[in-house]
Amino acid sequence: MTTTTPAMDFGPALNSVLDTVDRWQEEGNYPLFPVIAEPLGTRARLADGRLVSVFGSCDYLGLSRHPAVTEAAVAAVQRFGTHCYGTQPVGGFTELHRELESSLATFFGTPAAALFPTGMQANIGVLATLAGPGDAVLSDQLNHGSITMGGRLSGARLVTFRHNDLADLEAKLIAAVGDRRRIIVVDGLFSADGDFAPLAGIADLADRHDALLIVDEAHSGGVVGPHGRGAAELLGVLDRVDVITGTMSKAFASTGGFACGSERVMRMLRHSAGAYLLSLGLVPATVGAAVAAVRVATEEGQHLRTRTADNASALRARLREAGVNIGASEAHVVLVHIGRVDDTARIATRLLEQGFLVNPLFPPAVPIGGARLRIGVTSAHGRDEIDAVAKAITHAQTC
């Protein structure tokens, strides 16, 4: 006798997600989880043999295949193996980890830095440690989800202000006058919209209302600013930011997160942040790669940043000329706004079939009704690739 196990009921919201995935797969419109068999610079061979141009990458400076970076990763494995002995305070902190912390602090112009397993954990660890009951965390409504998570875990009152709205932020700072401490936290570059936070105005408000300012430079660190120090440097307020958070998984061609700030704050994070204390240290290969990537971004960064910016500018111009809605995109993150989830999945699937790998963004990563494509432009892309993907996107939206 054969029995069938009943399907697990995950509740209406999650069941709807699974129903949508099932429908996309049945219709041949499932754009997620392409399997990469062989990366080839700005191209990649998929497991089914297709060759695609990669425009879904966050390797903004094109350093993931740089010889100095790959050689450093191999050398780190040969020296330290593939694993750390434990958490960073008790055996998972090597000379490479110390060198990377020092390199990041120097790169961003701060006294000290602390490493985290991921950029997401850096945001969670910093906020859940610096804020607590009786405090107010004031967060832009379009901040990365990890910032929201950190604010909630902290036990502080999480206050959301309208995106890039200085008047709304000031009103909420005034309303928070009775809170023990006020902490403003924003993305330097909003990766789902392609626009920058108005950091000069935000820093003024932080000064006026005695608030701490935290800026997540995940998508901007290494890529913008005269020295690549991110949106805070680009907008002239680097010395007014209390804590910078970021990740090595974008410009620095590796994985892992970090926080930069004063020696006292970094020391406190190392001894108090659960996201730091309760996870193994970064594996040696990723640390070795990141050390080399920071060095290359320092020595060759101006040229690489210029190429990335020029490529992004060329793509934005071509898409706007074709009437494609790219919204407020003004950086190397170019967003194509579509709206409906099903349309976005269909267009991303058609682009993949035509040989272009892009990132579709769906709720909750973006607001309901705001599904879009994120086009990752890097310094390694050629103008022929830029022209080709612009034409493909334009054609895919009209089909």
Side-chain angles (χ1 to χ4, degrees):
M1 179 178 179
T2 302
T3 59
T4 302
T5 303
M8 183 178 294
D9 186 352
F10 295 106
L14 294 181
N15 285 338
S16 176
V17 170
L18 293 178
D19 290 344
T20 298
V21 169
D22 289 343
R23 178 167 52 77
W24 284 351
Q25 291 177 328
E26 290 171 2
E27 295 172 350
N29 288 328
Y30 184 67
L32 304 176
F33 298 99
V35 180
I36 305 295
E38 183 182 10
L40 301 165
T42 60
R43 310 197 79 188
R45 192 172 304 282
L46 303 184
D48 61 10
R50 284 181 294 165
L51 193 64
V52 297
S53 290
V54 178
F55 279 92
S57 172
C58 293
D59 183 22
Y60 298 132
L61 300 184
L63 296 182
S64 66
R65 306 291 290 180
H66 193 289
V69 176
T70 57
E71 288 167 10
V74 172
V77 171
Q78 292 173 336
R79 181 180 177 190
F80 292 103
T82 62
H83 184 263
C84 289
Y85 293 111
T87 62
Q88 291 184 92
V90 289
F93 191 79
T94 68
E95 288 182 335
L96 277 177
H97 292 77
R98 183 175 63 185
E99 183 179 359
L100 180 54
E101 284 190 345
S102 177
S103 297
L104 287 166
T106 298
F107 187 89
F108 284 97
T110 61
L115 301 179
F116 286 83
T118 65
M120 183 171 182
Q121 285 176 274
N123 279 333
I124 291 172
V126 167
L127 280 168
T129 305
L130 290 183
D135 297 333
V137 172
L138 296 102
S139 173
D140 189 289
Q141 70 181 112
L142 297 187
N143 276 344
H144 191 268
S146 59
I147 292 173
T148 303
M149 291 178 190
R152 288 175 177 163
L153 285 172
S154 73
R157 189 166 63 92
L158 183 63
V159 180
T160 300
F161 61 91
R162 290 191 293 271
H163 177 55
N164 283 351
D165 189 327
L166 294 176
D168 191 44
L169 172 57
E170 181 162 35
K172 287 173 177 173
L173 281 166
I174 292 170
V177 67
D179 290 282
R180 181 184 63 168
R181 183 166 49 217
R182 290 153 299 286
I183 301 173
I184 304 170
V185 56
V186 293
D187 287 353
L189 170 64
F190 292 90
S191 65
D193 286 82
D195 57 343
F196 292 98
L199 289 175
I202 291 173
D204 288 343
L205 290 176
D207 291 341
R208 192 178 309 153
H209 296 277
D210 192 27
L212 296 175
L213 176 56
I214 300 172
V215 178
D216 179 3
E217 298 279 19
H219 286 267
S220 40
V223 194
V224 302
H227 302 92
R229 290 173 173 171
E233 184 189 36
L234 177 71
L235 300 173
V237 298
L238 185 61
D239 60 342
R240 302 169 68 188
V241 176
D242 294 290
V243 179
I244 293 168
T245 60
T247 177
M248 276 80 76
S249 63
K250 308 297 188 293
F252 300 125
S254 186
T255 59
F258 61 86
C260 295
S262 71
E263 179 58 54
R264 182 172 177 80
V265 170
M266 295 304 108
R267 190 184 312 124
M268 185 267 293
L269 291 173
R270 293 189 193 102
H271 292 85
S272 303
Y276 182 99
L277 295 169
L278 302 178
S279 183
L280 289 181
L282 292 166
V283 298
T286 66
V287 180
V291 168
V294 172
R295 183 170 61 250
V296 174
T298 301
E299 296 170 352
E300 304 176 24
Q302 184 173 4
H303 167 69
L304 296 172
R305 289 191 295 273
T306 298
R307 277 191 57 85
T308 301
D310 288 348
N311 281 340
S313 178
L315 177 59
R316 291 196 306 271
R318 282 157 177 72
L319 292 175
R320 284 193 170 117
E321 287 168 5
V324 175
N325 178 13
I326 63 172
S329 294
E330 58 187 65
H332 49 280
V333 179
V334 180
L335 284 304
V336 176
H337 294 262
I338 297 171
R340 294 184 66 250
V341 165
D342 285 353
D343 290 341
T344 304
R346 174 181 55 79
I347 290 171
T349 302
R350 297 293 90 78
L351 286 169
L352 188 60
E353 291 171 350
Q354 294 169 39
F356 298 94
L357 177 59
V358 301
N359 282 342
L361 299 182
F362 307 114
V366 293
I368 293 174
R372 63 201 67 172
L373 304 178
R374 182 165 66 196
I375 315 300
V377 181
T378 78
S379 66
H381 282 116
R383 288 303 171 87
D384 56 336
E385 294 175 295
I386 299 292
D387 291 342
V389 76
K391 290 177 183 177
I393 290 169
T394 303
H395 183 261
Q397 283 205 284
T398 59
C399 291

